[in-house]
Amino acid sequence: SMLPANIKYHALADAGYFIDAPNTSGQMHIRELYQYVFKMQNCSGGINQACIKSQPPGDEWKCFFAQYTYPHIVSPFFTFNSQIDTWQLGNILQLGCTPPNCNDQQMEKFEHFYEEFKQAEIPILDSKSNGGFLDSCLAHCQSLSDAAWIETQVNNQSARETFSYWYFGRSGERKVIDCAYPCNKSCK
């Protein structure tokens, strides 16, 4: 650790759980982009080194994606993310519409992406010490909004309550995972 042992800190990731998933054409567009950026910027020295060491030679770029690096994070960590993050729908999935204003084929791709995210979020669910609020709202960067902290509910619990249970070690759910879109009526 770079901090003295007597320093207590926690980290919060807001909408940064970007996944390695195909776009609507089945192409790994975001993977190719991340591979290029990783190599072009020589990122191996600035990425989680435990993740880098866990990858076979040539696959170190995977540590740019949350699902691959998350298991190697040792800092106390809270993930605040939509399982259908709007940035990812436009830039990873390249959906070309915003649900529910999509045709049947686009909605099928959207639902498949949601399932991909559910698989990619397994490291969050498996963590014994970290917290998380994973909703199904069409949103990105929710921590900037009071409404997202207070009014959005998952399992009758707000993000604020979930975070405080985790941060202060209080009894209560420290990790909540929403049902599939469009189930959550508290989304704004």
Side-chain angles (χ1 to χ4, degrees), residues 116-138:
E116 292 266 349
F117 194 95
K118 296 288 285 182
Q119 286 300 307
E121 74 186 16
I122 289 173
I124 298 172
L125 304 178
D126 287 348
S127 171
K128 303 290 186 235
S129 59
N130 293 334
F133 190 86
L134 301 174
D135 61 58
S136 61
C137 300
L138 287 164

Side-chain angles (χ1 to χ4, degrees), residues 21-122:
N23 65 13
T24 56
S25 301
Q27 298 171 322
M28 299 303 285
H29 159 75
I30 201 72
R31 175 186 289 182
E32 293 166 6
L33 176 64
Y34 278 26
Q35 286 174 325
Y36 169 75
V37 170
F38 185 89
K39 184 176 179 181
M40 185 258 308
Q41 295 183 359
N42 191 21
C43 292
S44 60
I47 301 290
N48 184 304
Q49 291 303 296
C51 182
I52 293 288
K53 290 175 186 166
S54 75
Q55 301 301 323
D59 280 353
E60 296 88 353
W61 60 266
K62 287 184 174 181
C63 299
F64 246 17
F65 286 103
Q67 71 216 62
Y68 304 123
T69 200
Y70 188 93
H72 305 284
I73 297 171
V74 295
S75 301
F77 208 79
F78 188 89
T79 304
F80 190 172
N81 215 102
S82 172
Q83 298 173 101
I84 52 171
D85 180 274
T86 53
W87 188 93
Q88 294 189 65
L89 294 180
N91 294 283
I92 296 176
L93 183 59
Q94 298 178 324
L95 189 57
C97 65
T98 302
N101 303 314
C102 301
N103 64 38
D104 290 345
Q105 184 181 10
Q106 290 168 320
M107 285 305 292
E108 185 178 310
K109 300 289 186 178
F110 169 79
E111 290 164 6
H112 181 73
F113 182 82
Y114 170 75
E115 292 302 322
E116 292 266 349
F117 194 95
K118 296 288 285 182
Q119 286 300 307
E121 74 186 16
I122 289 173

Side-chain angles (χ1 to χ4, degrees), residues 26 61 85 88 110 122 144 161 173-174 183 188:
W61 60 266
D85 180 274
Q88 294 189 65
F110 169 79
I122 289 173
L144 304 175
E161 291 168 315
E173 292 296 320
R174 298 174 185 186
C183 71
K188 301 288 182 206

